[in-house]
Amino acid sequence: IKSAECRTIYRISHADYQSFERQKNIRHAILPALTNNEFHVVLQPKVNAERKVMSSELLIRWNSPELGAVRPDEFIPIAEISSDIHDITKWVLEQACINLAEAKKYGQNTQIAINVSARDIVRPVFEETIMNMLRRYNLRPQQLILELTETALIQDLSAVSEKLKILSDYGLKISIDDFGTAYSSMINLYMLPISELKIDRIFTLEMEKNFKAKGIVESLLALSKRMQISTVAEGVETAQQVEILEKMGCDLMQGYYFARPLPPEEWLAFLLKANK
Ligand code: C2E
Ligand code: CA
Ligand code: CA
Ligand code: CA
């Protein structure tokens, strides 16, 4: 049926109709895009006080010939509605391994973090998929970090907790992403084998001008230290933010101030230069 008819039947606005259409187009384009190599990845370093790259977050990019550049914020939630997310995550996992193997050729046994969704984590074959991929590229589980949001953690806390235990027993690192923005609960930190906590960009951004934001960052750093969980501040963009975070003893920093998410070759060059 035509746009106008559809709008008459459902009495929806033109804007809503367009966004509905776009979502549908994205949904249908995801799997073909994987086979047509329309995705690529970028990597963003997480640096320590000595400006050494300790690990890097791998982020997906999509340039679609039909839809243009589609941001992960837009297509990942759509992929998460179906099992498409599993195909994306598996592809992303392989990209992480490819880049870890490349860095290893240059003597860098670095770590890469990938973003995983709630649906991935509770999947029965998840740990097997990961371990097989690591084995295929001759990598150690300690080199892979799984970034999970709190929203993903609470979906099914007992199932997630059981799965995270298995993964961390294998040696994989678990990181909580965007900490402080969703259902931040001490029980998560207490019950789950978390090795890294990422303080959401909003706190990094507000910290200078807002004493509450600064208080939250300070408290999270103190708490993590006591629990032997390593901390990463996200979205670090200015020298002032770096100064404050270093004074407060944040372990790692990630953001445009140090490096934008970089294409693999540039990322490797950055890594080799920083860690030489
Ligand atoms: P996220 O995991 O919180 O990723 C951090 C986002 O902040 C990235 O946006 C990154 O490019 C951006 N960023 C990094 N440094 C700075 C900075 O200094 N300032 C500002 N303003 N932004 C900064 P991106 O790549 O567009 O990703 C958005 C979200 O999409 C991610 O949020 C993550 O939830 C999701 N995503 C990205 N790649 C993947 C993936 O491979 N798999 C899954 N499941 N989700 C992904
Ligand atoms: Ca992340
Ligand atoms: Ca984040
Ligand atoms: Ca986010």
Side-chain angles (χ1 to χ4, degrees), residues 99-208:
N99 285 287
L100 283 170
E102 196 58 28
K104 201 175 156 188
K105 284 188 198 158
Y106 295 85
Q108 296 288 328
N109 283 313
T110 192
Q111 302 181 338
I112 289 180
I114 61 170
N115 292 285
V116 297
S117 80
R119 276 190 82 133
D120 293 317
I121 201 92
V122 293
R123 213 182 166 210
V125 295
F126 188 60
E127 62 270 34
E128 201 182 301
T129 307
I130 292 183
M131 297 311 283
N132 286 341
M133 195 72 84
L134 288 167
R135 219 169 290 127
R136 172 138 40 110
Y137 286 88
N138 200 13
L139 300 162
R140 295 183 305 126
Q142 287 76 8
Q143 290 183 268
L144 191 67
I145 304 172
L146 305 178
E147 291 192 9
L148 278 150
T149 61
E150 297 164 274
T151 324
L153 293 178
I154 58 136
Q155 296 292 312
D156 183 350
L157 192 58
S158 75
V160 167
S161 136
E162 213 171 293
K163 193 51 90 72
L164 292 187
K165 172 102 177 40
I166 296 173
L167 292 165
S168 83
D169 284 348
Y170 278 139
L172 290 142
K173 299 234 165 73
I174 313 293
S175 170
I176 305 194
D177 206 353
D178 303 346
F179 194 84
T181 56
Y183 307 88
S184 307
S185 157
M186 296 307 136
I187 199 82
N188 291 342
L189 294 182
Y190 179 62
M191 297 285 287
L192 305 173
I194 307 298
S195 55
E196 179 182 273
L197 191 153
K198 298 188 80 175
I199 299 171
D200 193 78
R201 179 150 59 88
I202 190 76
F203 301 114
T204 308
L205 189 68
E206 299 282 309
M207 179 176 76
E208 286 164 89

Side-chain angles (χ1 to χ4, degrees), residues 42 44 57-61 71-73 76 80 85 88-89 92 114-117 120 147 149 177-178 198 200-201 234-237 254-257 259 261:
V42 285
Q44 188 177 38
E57 179 174 5
L58 185 139
L59 297 153
I60 194 166
R61 295 289 176 264
R71 293 167 42 96
D73 278 338
I76 293 290
E80 283 175 341
I85 189 64
I88 292 182
T89 302
V92 160
I114 61 170
N115 292 285
V116 297
S117 80
D120 293 317
E147 291 192 9
T149 61
D177 206 353
D178 303 346
K198 298 188 80 175
D200 193 78
R201 179 150 59 88
E234 301 187 316
V236 180
E237 293 184 1
Q254 177 182 359
Y256 297 166
Y257 180 81

Side-chain angles (χ1 to χ4, degrees), residues 40-82:
H40 66 276
V41 299
V42 285
L43 296 120
Q44 188 177 38
K46 304 181 194 177
V47 305
N48 70 5
E50 286 90 53
R51 305 295 185 265
K52 295 241 184 296
V53 178
M54 304 309 285
S55 62
S56 308
E57 179 174 5
L58 185 139
L59 297 153
I60 194 166
R61 295 289 176 264
W62 182 12
N63 289 318
S64 158
E66 293 90 34
L67 301 162
V70 191
R71 293 167 42 96
D73 278 338
E74 192 177 11
F75 72 84
I76 293 290
I78 297 174
E80 283 175 341
I81 298 169
S82 71

